[in-house]
Amino acid sequence: MKATETKLEDCFVLEPTIFEDKRGYFFESFNQEKFNTLINKKVDFVQDNESFSSKGVLRGLHYQVGAHAQAKLVRVIKGKVLDVAVDIRANSKTFGQHVAVELSEDNKKQLFVPRGFAHGFIVLSETAIFSYKCDNLYNKESEGGIIYNDPKLNIDWQLPEDELLVSEKDVILPNLENARL
């Protein structure tokens, strides 16, 4: 497995070593010891989540604050998404900046989103199965979010606005300037 740090400190794209032959393929999707070595940090995941979504579904931008902040390791099992991480660490030199990475069943890339980041994705294929590990348990009282179309973030979601399927909850999220950080 190879880890490449993005322009946002502590946020990594991980690419597995894939073994293919006429029978199909095999790859190690996660190994705690290798993962911690690659990112040079100890992260212990305690919860796995999975979602199924149709084309145009945009989930995010979400985060957890305080003692319930979460780091995530995200990947796509089926389909293709544009995955976005936004640095919301107040003292970070990249505060308010984002990275966008295409994750798919074909490229098998993963994105490590550290604590102190907002996270979201949009489905680019007809459907997608999205999977992620969290290093802290979800806590409803600690959830926060940023509106997906905040003009200061200027995220290119790669689909026209009229094709986006956004939850009622996510449509009313504040912009970064007014978010609860």
Side-chain angles (χ1 to χ4, degrees):
M1 182 170 286
K2 178 176 103 173
T4 306
E5 192 166 22
T6 68
K7 69 178 185 178
L8 307 178
E9 187 178 11
D10 300 325
C11 184
F12 291 86
V13 174
L14 298 148
E15 297 177 67
T17 302
I18 302 168
F19 302 94
E20 293 183 88
D21 63 24
K22 63 183 177 184
R23 300 169 298 159
Y25 70 83
F26 170 86
F27 71 96
E28 186 176 72
S29 62
F30 183 74
N31 175 307
Q32 186 76 56
E33 186 176 308
K34 286 181 186 176
F35 175 79
N36 287 344
T37 299
L38 284 169
I39 68 165
N40 198 27
K41 184 179 277 188
K42 184 171 175 16
V43 178
D44 294 314
F45 294 106
V46 297
Q47 181 177 329
D48 282 10
N49 300 313
E50 182 175 296
S51 68
F52 174 84
S53 305
S54 301
K55 185 172 186 172
V57 168
L58 191 153
R59 297 183 186 269
L61 298 159
H62 305 141
Y63 56 88
Q64 297 272 298
V65 296
H68 299 285
Q70 293 178 321
K72 297 176 182 174
L73 180 61
V74 303
R75 72 185 187 110
V76 169
I77 294 171
K78 187 82 174 152
K80 178 170 66 171
V81 308
L82 180 71
D83 198 76
V84 175
V86 179
D87 188 345
I88 59 172
R89 300 172 295 182
N91 297 323
S92 171
K93 63 183 181 253
T94 56
F95 175 81
Q97 294 182 32
H98 72 276
V99 293
V101 179
E102 188 176 288
L103 305 177
S104 72
E105 67 182 289
D106 294 328
N107 70 24
K108 299 181 184 11
K109 291 180 181 179
Q110 298 179 60
L111 183 66
F112 174 66
V113 182
R115 291 182 181 197
F117 280 65
H119 173 259
F121 68 91
I122 187 166
V123 178
L124 302 175
S125 53
E126 288 307 308
T127 61
I129 298 174
F130 187 84
S131 176
Y132 59 103
K133 296 180 169 304
C134 298
D135 77 335
N136 208 350
L137 299 174
Y138 171 77
N139 179 278
K140 184 165 180 53
E141 290 73 39
S142 299
E143 69 181 19
I146 301 165
I147 188 75
Y148 70 94
N149 59 359
D150 183 333
K152 286 192 177 177
L153 296 179
N154 194 30
I155 298 169
D156 177 4
W157 292 102
Q158 297 188 6
L159 290 177
E161 184 79 25
D162 65 347
E163 290 182 26
L164 304 183
L165 301 169
V166 185
S167 73
E168 291 178 21
K169 177 180 148 186
D170 288 352
V171 166
I172 60 169
L173 290 172
N175 59 22
L176 177 60
E177 189 175 300
N178 297 314
R180 175 183 136 203
L181 305 176

